[in-house]
């Protein structure tokens, strides 16, 4: 079209990223070139301009999507997550404004049910959705409800059906490969997953393939049909005729066939575990870096495959719900790189939006997921919903550096209390029609540990051997009815090694398969255990209700009595009680305060305090040593000494750090585009950096939270070709003290 154009014209190529920055421009472009973007842009636009004597002759262009470099996909900071699924003809026209509002909110990750375009084009990290066979909306068939024929209790998406597994795998791999190309931070396998809706008691699964697998499971366990019939109290004539009994059949027969029911529930829990482990292997064949995520986690249950000890063998990331203290279970059983980004928002406003945010942060969450009813974070007119608006100050504190400080520098103090997790005992409680009471009891001990300032974790029955040698000194058995002989011996061994056992409710009244014992296996041990055993015959979870209204005189007396008894058990085990205390104006301890104790690698103490009480109280935080106190929730300096005054309520949690010297900057310099800084007073902290262009406008994409080790840190500002020349300003904030330093960067 243009003969000899290369002699008469010039070709200019310009490459811009999704942030609108020009990264590359050349009037003598090469056929190939390499460029590494310092920002996680997934979308690039390439434009070619044909010019003659400065006049544009022609132009052409294209765009491409690119997976960001791996280091840009690390979850190395506290991130805010939300979801968008708006529909309607006007949605595309609102996208740009919605993106601006979400960035104002501080959103980092956007889950989009309508594909990747919105988050990719608007510079949000994104996530993938991959289908699976577990699902959430699982109900028994209408035919079963009419007839009661248990052979109709086959799940539509059976986890052992080879044909369904093959189709599901093919669909998942196709989706995962596409998600990998977009650089997703995790792959969500679904919302509120359970074999039955929320773990409702449905006897899934009676499919032919599941029954065949169940029979093989039984052959390995019992060896012979005669032994199975003896334990099950059944009369099956062949393995092919073996069927599990349902809960209704167990109750009707006065628990005669309870072993059959318990074996089936255990098999289904193990089937879910195996399915997810295999699923993760397949997922990582498509995306070697894949994090497998479950949203809307369900409380532990006898049904639904909801054994969290087993589930955490495969799940890397959870958008947790909060019910039944399940986050304590999940963080106890999660691997070292476990990622918790719990859900918040909904209709919760005021203090109800603040409390779960800070509780999750103190439990080790690495971000927060926000969702409000009906339309995500915004009303249709683009105003923030009240739940999002009320949570914003806390979210900005956490995202502004406090979250990263907690992630990188502070760990819980030594965990010396173990609360026993027994899925068999949960099944036993269900068959006794008191599963909620059982879960309430472990919640009671979670609260007692928190109110006593005793760090703890749940341990599974498989972790009992050698428990004392792992550093635990108190083992709590909350109504642990179903125990094997080996598990009982391991509990006795813990006491013999020097540990203390606290049992509420007679432990070991049933075998591990929920069959009743003639004599509880731990009866003699609990009644005659001596100094190393604390036994309470009757179970009582009223504490959970009483602590909700602690200012009532009657409630207060009962709460203090319960706390004194538990404190005695801790001291008996050699575990300190409330190393950091919270007292009211009268000097009395605030009994409803949940205490979270952490310590940095250099020994700096941190104490978090939460309460469900909305009544504001003037309190004093009492540390054992002297130092400078800083509240990370409000950003306030509390003074120097052992005691610090503050206001405390559900909407005013406290997160107090005590340093020996007051942190601050001892030096900041610029080396080309690199900021180099030194921090005094602490060796390890977080510095939040904001960057402003020559006009004074903040460039959020250039901001960064940097972890400081050994008192030193640096940051390279990711300038692009198109960035304005002149004096740029960098604002550095040391997160503990809120100490600020401004410096000019010449460009």
């Amino acid at each position: 079209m243009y003969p000899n154009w290369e002699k008469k014209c010039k070709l200019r190529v310009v490459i811009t990223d999704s942030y609108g920055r020009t990264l590359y421009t050349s009037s003598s472009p090469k056929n190939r070139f390499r460029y590494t973007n310092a920002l996680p842009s997934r979308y690039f636009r390439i434009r070619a301009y044909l010019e003659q004597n400065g006049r544009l002759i022609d132009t052409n262009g294209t765009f491409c999507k690119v997976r960001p470099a791996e280091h840009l996909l690390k979850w190395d900071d506290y991130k805010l997550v939300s979801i968008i699924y708006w529909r309607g003809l006007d949605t595309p026209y609102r996208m740009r404004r919605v993106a601006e509002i979400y960035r104002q909110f501080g959103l980092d990750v956007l889950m989009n049910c309508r594909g990747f375009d919105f988050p990719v084009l608007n510079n949000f990290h994104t996530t993938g959705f991959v289908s699976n066979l577990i699902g959430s909306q699982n109900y028994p068939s209408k035919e079963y409800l009419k007839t009661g024929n248990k052979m109709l209790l086959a799940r539509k998406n059976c986890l052992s059906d080879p044909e369904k597994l093959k189709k599901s795998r093919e669909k998942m791999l196709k989706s995962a490969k596409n998600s990998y190309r977009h650089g997703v931070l995790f792959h969500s396998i679904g919302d509120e997953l359970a074999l039955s809706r929320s773990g409702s008691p449905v006897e899934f699964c009676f499919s032919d393939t599941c029954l065949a697998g169940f029979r093989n499971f039984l052959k390995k366990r019992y060896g012979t049909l005669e032994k199975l019939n003896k334990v099950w109290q059944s009369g099956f004539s062949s393995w092919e005729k073996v069927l599990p009994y349902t809960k209704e059949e167990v109750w009707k027969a006065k628990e005669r066939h309870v072993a059959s029911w318990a074996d089936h529930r255990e098999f289904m829990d193990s089937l879910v575990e195996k399915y997810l482990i295999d699923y993760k292997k397949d997922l990582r064949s498509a995306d070697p870096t894949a994090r497998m995520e479950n949203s809307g986690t369900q409380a532990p249950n006898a049904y639904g495959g909801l054994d969290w000890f087993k589930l955490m063998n495969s799940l890397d990331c959870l958008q947790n719900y909060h019910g039944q203290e399940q986050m304590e279970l999940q963080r106890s059983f999660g691997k070292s790189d476990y990622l918790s980004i719990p859900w918040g928002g909904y209709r919760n406003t005021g203090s109800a939006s603040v409390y779960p945010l800070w509780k999750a942060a103190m439990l080790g969450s690495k971000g927060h997921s926000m969702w409000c009813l009906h339309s995500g974070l915004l009303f249709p007119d683009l105003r923030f919903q009240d739940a999002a608006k009320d949570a914003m100050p806390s979210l900005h504190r956490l995202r502004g550096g406090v979250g990263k400080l907690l992630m990188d520098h502070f760990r819980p103090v030594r965990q010396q209390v173990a609360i026993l997790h027994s899925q068999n005992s949960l099944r036993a409680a269900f068959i006794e029609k008191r599963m909620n009471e059982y879960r309430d009891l472990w919640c009671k001990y979670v609260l007692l540990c928190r109110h006593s300032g005793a760090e703890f974790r749940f341990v599974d029955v498989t972790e009992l051997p050698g428990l004392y040698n792992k550093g635990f000194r108190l083992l709590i058995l909350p109504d642990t009815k179903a125990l094997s002989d080996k598990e009982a011996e391991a509990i006795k061994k813990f006491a013999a090694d020097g540990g203390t056992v606290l049992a509420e409710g007679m432990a070991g009244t049933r075998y591990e398969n929920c069959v009743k014992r003639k004599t509880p296996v731990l009866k003699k041990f609990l009644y005659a255990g001596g100094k190393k055993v604390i036994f309470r015959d009757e179970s009582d979870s009223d504490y959970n209700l009483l602590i909700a209204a602690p200012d009532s005189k009657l409630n207060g007396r009962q709460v203090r009595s319960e706390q004194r008894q538990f404190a005695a058990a801790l001291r008996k085990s050699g575990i300190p009680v409330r190393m950091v205390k919270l007292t009211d104006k009268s000097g009395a301890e605030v009994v409803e305060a949940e205490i979270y104790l952490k310590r940095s690698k250099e020994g700096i103490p941190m104490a978090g305090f939460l309460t469900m009480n909305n009544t504001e109280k003037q309190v004093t935080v009492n540390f054992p040593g002297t130092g400078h106190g800083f509240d990370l929730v409000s950003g306030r300096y509390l003074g120097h000494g052992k005691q610090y005054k503050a206001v405390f309520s559900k909407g005013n949690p406290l997160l107090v750090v005590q340093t020996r010297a007051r942190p601050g900057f001892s030096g900041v310099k610029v080396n080309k585009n690199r900021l180099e800084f030194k921090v005094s007073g602490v060796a390890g902290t977080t510095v939040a950096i904001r960057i402003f262009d020559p006009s004074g406008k903040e460039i959020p994409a250039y901001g960064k939270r940097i972890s400081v080790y050994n008192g030193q840190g640096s940051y390279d500002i990711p300038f692009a070709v198109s960035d304005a020349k002149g004096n740029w300003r960098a604002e550095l904030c040391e997160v503990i003290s809120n100490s600020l330093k401004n410096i000019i960067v010449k460009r």
Side-chain angles (χ1 to χ4, degrees):
M1 179 178 278
Y2 302 105
N4 300 316
W5 70 268
E6 66 275 13
K7 296 179 181 178
K8 300 176 182 179
C9 303
K10 289 184 178 181
L11 180 65
R12 182 166 57 90
V13 174
V14 177
I15 299 177
T16 58
D17 64 8
S18 57
Y19 295 86
R21 307 181 313 148
T22 300
L23 306 178
Y24 174 90
T25 181
S26 176
S27 56
S28 56
K30 301 176 182 178
N31 290 331
R32 299 182 68 180
F33 64 92
R34 185 180 184 87
Y35 183 86
T36 301
N37 195 358
L39 297 183
S41 178
R42 293 167 170 81
Y43 171 88
F44 294 85
R45 188 178 181 186
I46 304 171
R47 300 291 295 177
Y49 301 91
L50 191 63
E51 298 171 337
Q52 185 180 41
N53 298 324
R55 185 167 61 92
L56 182 64
I57 302 298
D58 198 4
T59 182
N60 205 341
T62 187
F63 70 90
C64 61
K65 292 181 180 178
V66 177
R67 176 182 170 85
E70 292 304 321
H71 72 276
L72 297 174
L73 299 177
K74 291 181 178 179
W75 199 293
D76 58 358
D77 201 348
Y78 189 93
K79 299 184 189 297
L80 301 188
V81 185
S82 191
I83 187 167
I84 186 169
Y85 33 49
W86 277 353
R87 299 174 181 174
L89 296 175
D90 65 333
T91 298
Y93 303 97
R94 290 191 287 179
M95 276 187 171
R96 189 176 298 276
R97 179 58 184 145
V98 168
E100 290 173 0
I101 295 171
Y102 278 0
R103 281 193 288 269
Q104 172 193 340
F105 185 75
L107 200 68
D108 300 288
V109 185
L110 191 59
M111 306 167 69
N112 188 14
C113 296
R114 295 289 168 262
F116 294 111
D117 285 349
F118 182 82
V120 164
L121 294 176
N122 291 283
N123 308 316
F124 296 105
H125 285 294
T126 189
T127 64
F129 291 88
V130 285
S131 62
N132 72 92
L133 294 178
I134 299 178
S136 61
Q137 306 293 330
N138 302 304
Y139 301 94
S141 66
K142 292 180 180 179
E143 290 78 8
Y144 169 75
L145 296 175
K146 287 179 182 178
T147 64
N149 178 4
K150 63 185 181 183
M151 296 308 295
L152 297 172
L153 286 169
R155 292 181 82 247
K156 183 178 179 181
N157 291 318
C158 174
L159 298 187
S160 60
D161 185 315
E163 190 62 31
K164 287 186 170 66
L165 287 169
K166 181 182 177 183
K167 289 181 179 178
S168 174
R169 183 179 186 274
E170 291 171 352
K171 186 177 179 181
M172 179 271 287
L173 288 175
K174 182 179 179 181
S175 177
K177 287 175 182 177
N178 184 44
S179 296
Y180 174 76
R181 287 194 292 270
H182 286 87
V184 299
L185 295 189
F186 59 75
H187 298 262
S188 177
I189 62 172
D191 186 47
E192 301 182 352
L193 293 186
L195 286 177
S196 52
R197 177 63 177 154
S198 300
S200 55
V202 182
E203 311 290 341
F204 290 135
C205 175
F206 274 70
S207 71
D208 291 341
T209 50
C210 272
L211 287 175
F214 180 50
R215 289 164 186 148
N216 288 332
F217 168 83
L218 296 173
K219 287 175 184 177
K220 291 179 182 178
R221 169 159 290 182
Y222 295 105
T224 66
L225 187 62
E226 290 73 21
K227 187 175 180 180
L228 176 136
N229 280 325
K230 181 179 179 181
V231 175
W232 280 22
Q233 297 187 49
S234 56
F236 296 109
S237 58
S238 68
W239 283 107
E240 289 70 28
K241 293 183 179 180
V242 171
L243 291 174
Y245 291 88
T246 66
K247 61 185 181 301
E248 290 85 5
E249 291 172 322
V250 171
W251 286 330
K252 187 175 181 180
K254 297 182 179 179
E255 295 192 22
R256 193 174 65 183
H257 308 302
V258 69
S260 165
W261 172 85
D263 283 344
H264 190 222
R265 299 272 47 84
E266 182 182 350
F267 168 74
M268 291 307 299
D269 284 356
S270 298
L271 181 62
V272 170
E273 178 188 29
K274 180 182 182 303
Y275 172 80
L276 289 176
I277 289 172
D278 292 344
Y279 189 96
K280 185 173 178 178
K281 288 179 182 177
D282 291 338
L283 179 62
R284 289 201 167 168
S285 70
D287 178 356
T289 65
R291 295 185 186 94
M292 193 165 80
E293 184 266 357
N294 173 209
S295 169
T297 56
Q298 301 295 290
N301 203 311
Y303 284 82
L306 295 168
D307 180 344
W308 280 105
F309 178 72
K310 290 182 175 179
L311 292 175
M312 294 308 290
N313 284 328
S314 57
L315 292 169
D316 306 295
C317 175
L318 297 177
Q319 287 178 287
N320 324 65
Y321 284 163
H322 299 263
Q324 296 292 335
E325 299 290 353
Q326 58 179 282
M327 286 182 64
E328 296 276 17
L329 270 174
Q330 292 148 0
R331 60 104 185 159
S332 293
F333 299 141
K335 297 176 182 177
S336 58
D337 58 352
Y338 159 59
L339 188 61
S340 171
I341 40 175
W343 283 110
Y346 299 82
R347 281 199 179 102
N348 295 321
T349 59
S351 62
S353 68
V354 173
Y355 172 86
L357 270 172
W358 289 100
K359 179 167 184 174
M362 293 178 198
L363 288 176
S365 70
K366 297 178 181 178
H368 200 74
S369 304
M370 282 295 294
W371 184 83
C372 304
L373 295 184
H374 311 305
S375 57
L377 298 181
L378 307 176
F379 287 117
D381 62 1
L382 305 188
R383 289 180 298 116
F384 279 113
Q385 293 204 44
D386 291 342
K389 190 166 54 179
D390 292 349
M392 207 178 297
S394 291
L395 288 171
H396 287 177
R397 284 292 299 162
L398 286 162
R399 186 179 177 274
V402 172
K404 186 169 179 64
L405 181 76
L406 290 168
M407 287 169 56
D408 291 352
H409 294 286
F410 286 88
R411 295 291 178 270
V413 298
R414 182 183 173 193
Q415 296 170 329
Q416 295 180 276
V417 180
I419 303 176
L420 189 63
H421 167 262
S422 167
Q423 190 72 1
N424 293 330
S425 295
L426 182 62
R427 295 186 192 110
F430 177 87
I431 215 67
E432 293 175 3
K433 300 182 179 180
R434 52 175 194 82
M435 186 176 70
N436 287 340
E437 296 173 26
Y438 175 80
R439 295 190 300 196
D440 286 345
L441 194 61
W442 84 40
C443 290
K444 165 187 168 179
Y445 279 101
V446 167
L447 287 173
L448 280 170
C449 285
R450 289 297 173 208
H451 293 146
S452 303
E455 285 297 324
F456 71 96
R457 82 170 184 89
F458 281 92
V459 296
D460 189 69
V461 290
T462 59
E463 299 177 278
L464 282 171
L467 192 64
Y468 185 85
N469 295 331
K470 297 171 187 175
F472 292 98
R473 294 297 177 262
L474 175 63
L475 173 62
I476 299 172
L477 310 180
D479 203 20
T480 309
K481 298 291 188 187
L483 287 170
S484 68
D485 291 342
K486 285 185 178 180
E487 291 160 1
E489 287 303 314
I491 291 169
K492 293 177 185 177
K493 179 68 165 57
F494 176 78
D497 288 342
T500 301
V501 175
L502 191 166
E504 183 159 343
M506 178 56 72
T509 60
R510 295 174 181 264
Y511 292 97
E512 66 270 29
N513 61 2
C514 295
V515 173
K516 288 181 179 178
R517 293 176 180 266
K518 291 182 179 178
T519 302
V521 67
L522 289 179
K523 183 177 180 179
K524 184 177 179 181
F525 168 74
L526 294 177
Y527 277 126
K531 295 181 179 179
K532 289 298 179 180
V533 176
I534 301 168
F535 176 50
R536 299 173 183 173
D537 199 3
E538 296 293 328
S539 298
D540 180 5
S541 60
D542 286 350
Y543 181 82
N544 303 358
L545 300 175
L546 296 171
I547 200 68
D551 296 328
S552 160
K553 288 186 178 180
L554 179 60
N555 286 8
R557 281 199 299 270
Q558 291 177 276
V559 163
R560 286 181 174 84
S561 173
E562 192 78 57
Q563 290 184 358
R564 280 194 297 270
Q565 292 180 58
F566 188 67
L570 292 171
R571 292 190 180 99
K572 187 174 187 177
S573 310
I575 301 171
V577 178
R578 297 192 182 107
M579 289 186 290
V580 181
K581 293 179 171 62
L582 194 70
T583 55
D584 61 19
K585 288 191 294 185
S586 69
E589 293 191 40
V590 181
V591 295
E592 69 270 24
E594 302 169 34
I595 305 172
Y596 299 76
L597 299 179
K598 298 177 183 288
R599 193 172 290 275
S600 72
K601 291 179 181 178
E602 61 186 288
I604 293 175
M606 172 187 284
F609 299 94
L610 292 166
T611 179
M612 289 294 288
N613 192 350
N614 275 309
T615 304
E616 284 194 359
K617 294 183 178 181
Q618 299 294 325
V619 296
T620 302
V621 182
N622 301 269
F623 275 80
T626 301
H628 295 272
F630 302 89
D631 177 25
L632 299 184
V633 176
S634 64
R636 289 175 53 237
Y637 175 56
L638 302 177
H640 183 268
K642 291 184 177 181
Q643 298 180 326
Y644 313 108
K645 304 291 183 183
V647 176
F648 181 57
S649 68
K650 184 177 181 180
N652 294 284
L654 297 170
L655 185 55
V656 182
V657 174
Q658 188 188 63
T659 62
R660 289 180 288 275
R662 193 164 181 173
F665 291 100
S666 58
V668 179
K669 66 179 182 178
V670 178
N671 183 3
K672 295 183 179 179
N673 296 338
R674 168 169 287 199
L675 301 174
E676 298 175 348
F677 45 90
K678 294 182 179 180
V679 177
S680 60
V682 290
T685 184
T686 296
V687 171
I689 300 173
R690 300 168 68 192
I691 303 296
F692 300 84
D693 70 12
S695 71
K697 178 184 177 183
E698 183 179 2
I699 310 298
Y702 288 1
K704 187 77 172 176
R705 272 76 60 193
I706 302 291
S707 273
V708 174
Y709 300 95
N710 300 317
Q712 299 182 70
S714 64
Y715 173 57
D716 293 309
I717 304 173
F719 286 129
V721 173
S722 58
D723 284 328
K725 304 294 183 181
N727 291 335
W728 289 62
R729 179 169 63 89
E731 179 190 274
L732 290 76
C733 176
E734 193 283 316
V735 168
I736 294 176
S737 66
N738 271 344
S739 175
L740 291 176
K741 188 75 173 180
N742 285 276
I743 191 167
I744 297 299
V745 181
K746 292 183 178 180
R747 172 166 166 71

